[in-house]
Amino acid sequence: MEIAALVSGGVDSSVVVHQLVESGYKPTIFYIRIGMEDETGYMGCSAEEDIEITSFIAQKYGLKMEVVSLQEEYWNTVVAYTLRTVKEGLTPNPDVMCNRLIKFGAFIDKWGKDFDKVATGHYAQNIFEGGKYWLGTATDRVKDQTDFLAQISYEQLSKILFPIGALPKSEVRAIAERAALPSAKRKDSQGICFLGKINYNDFIRKYLGEKQGKIVELETGKVLGTHNGFWFHTIGQRKGLGLSGGPWYVVGKSAAENVVFVSQGYDTEKQYGNVIPLEGIHYITECPWAEIPESGVEITFKIRHTPEFTRGTLLRCGEDYKIKSESMIQGIAPGQYGVIYTPDSRICLGSGVISLLQ
């Protein structure tokens, strides 16, 4: 079997290569340049150290390695989506788009077609049941990344291998140390995939600029302060508001008026909700229900990257859906993804975009 391994220089993808070689495979290593670069030469990611480590891995195991660029595709899809979404007053999820459009989209279209499988260091599992592939959650629930994969297609899933999805992170680190891999003690990468080490607010400021607006208490209409653009703030945000007498939380935004609405207190009701409206659902494999009854179907779900799965009911509303949560959820942000799972949280079924709250 011919395997392409996507390697970033981090410990997870390095161990993927080790595991494949230990299983008797000779994968071809691909390092994808996906740092952001526009016509001004602005670059969001320094790749030299990553490529150096990836090259070491290739040499250690005697494997072919290619460095390929998808920067133009990144700018035209992921970056454009992020800027458009932020400008509309919504909360984007670039990592979801990165996986769907770049790592398993443009890469497979350009280079992956010659390979039987594409291996990646994501914490997820590919489960084959009933003659079909299903996106399974990782053994390590803290590291589970299925929420970032919830928009991939069935064709993409059927081609992906997740060699470390059944391993706890501690074991991945231990394997890297035993194998003397240079990434064994390297810190996990943080932040949005295309920004690398660039500050998110610096990125937004470069492309959307600044525009002073009011910070308004939602309950009273009182102006509490000013901000430099609603696009710097997201629903549920607490830090960075510059207000005294807090805590204050962002509970709403007006893109038309450039206003950020806040509420005070740790337990203000405006922070929470138990209904998450979704603009349709993308099912990765298929909808597991022949029909969703009026009373809904039991699921678990996530609306952000956390180890916890929340219990709820999925209801059909015409062409759209809504999740009714068993518990109150903080920071429901339109534009983000509501990711749905089976009741036992074993399989990620897909996701829908959270729409504006009614």
Side-chain angles (χ1 to χ4, degrees), residues 209-255:
E210 294 185 352
K211 183 180 179 182
Q212 195 171 86
K214 299 174 182 177
I215 300 177
V216 175
E217 185 173 18
L218 183 67
E219 292 80 0
T220 66
K222 182 180 178 181
V223 177
L224 302 176
T226 60
H227 59 81
N228 292 321
F230 70 82
W231 42 84
F232 292 111
H233 303 281
T234 188
I235 304 298
Q237 175 185 336
R238 175 186 169 195
K239 296 181 179 179
L241 291 168
L243 301 176
S244 59
W248 294 95
Y249 289 87
V250 175
V251 294
K253 296 185 290 183
S254 170

Side-chain angles (χ1 to χ4, degrees), residues 1-5 112 115-119 126 133 157-161:
M1 182 165 61
E2 294 295 320
I3 300 175
F115 295 87
D116 300 301
K117 296 288 182 179
V118 175
N126 203 330
Y133 292 99
L157 177 63
S158 64
K159 191 145 185 158
I160 303 173
L161 294 176

Side-chain angles (χ1 to χ4, degrees), residues 13-243:
S13 58
S14 298
V15 171
V16 162
V17 174
H18 174 82
Q19 295 293 85
L20 290 171
V21 172
E22 288 288 293
S23 298
Y25 297 108
K26 297 283 284 185
T28 298
I29 292 177
F30 285 88
Y31 178 90
I32 305 176
R33 283 187 178 273
I34 52 175
M36 190 186 64
E37 187 176 65
D38 65 9
E39 68 280 357
T40 67
Y42 177 76
M43 189 70 179
C45 179
S46 176
E48 287 77 12
E49 184 180 355
D50 294 336
I51 292 175
E52 184 178 329
I53 291 175
T54 303
S55 298
F56 177 91
I57 299 294
Q59 292 170 11
K60 175 180 175 69
Y61 294 106
L63 304 174
K64 297 178 186 176
M65 174 183 164
E66 289 189 46
V67 178
V68 297
S69 175
L70 288 173
Q71 287 170 255
E72 182 179 353
E73 290 82 355
Y74 244 78
W75 181 262
N76 292 335
T77 58
V78 179
V79 178
Y81 148 81
T82 300
L83 292 174
R84 181 180 68 252
T85 303
V86 169
K87 201 169 184 178
E88 291 172 355
L90 306 174
T91 302
N93 195 322
D95 294 291
V96 171
M97 291 294 102
C98 167
N99 288 321
R100 175 183 172 179
L101 301 175
I102 302 299
K103 292 179 182 175
F104 306 119
F107 173 78
I108 289 178
D109 292 341
K110 285 195 168 188
W111 296 285
K113 289 180 178 178
D114 295 331
F115 295 87
D116 300 301
K117 296 288 182 179
V118 175
T120 176
H122 285 91
Y123 283 84
Q125 300 189 70
N126 203 330
I127 298 171
F128 190 74
E129 285 183 355
K132 296 175 182 176
Y133 292 99
W134 301 87
L135 178 60
T137 50
T139 298
D140 189 332
R141 291 298 175 90
V142 173
K143 299 302 295 184
D144 178 71
Q145 293 174 304
T146 51
D147 51 322
F148 294 140
L149 296 163
Q151 280 281 311
I152 64 172
S153 69
Y154 181 78
E155 290 71 27
Q156 290 169 338
L157 177 63
S158 64
K159 191 145 185 158
I160 303 173
L161 294 176
F162 300 112
I164 63 170
L167 300 175
K169 181 73 178 197
S170 57
E171 179 59 19
V172 171
R173 290 277 184 198
I175 290 171
E177 290 193 19
R178 291 196 297 268
L181 302 182
S183 55
K185 296 186 182 300
R186 204 177 188 201
K187 289 183 179 180
D188 291 344
S189 60
Q190 299 291 330
I192 296 171
C193 59
F194 66 82
L195 289 183
K197 298 174 183 178
I198 297 298
N199 178 274
Y200 177 74
N201 281 346
D202 289 343
F203 161 73
I204 295 297
R205 185 176 294 107
K206 177 176 176 65
Y207 293 101
L208 297 185
E210 294 185 352
K211 183 180 179 182
Q212 195 171 86
K214 299 174 182 177
I215 300 177
V216 175
E217 185 173 18
L218 183 67
E219 292 80 0
T220 66
K222 182 180 178 181
V223 177
L224 302 176
T226 60
H227 59 81
N228 292 321
F230 70 82
W231 42 84
F232 292 111
H233 303 281
T234 188
I235 304 298
Q237 175 185 336
R238 175 186 169 195
K239 296 181 179 179
L241 291 168
L243 301 176

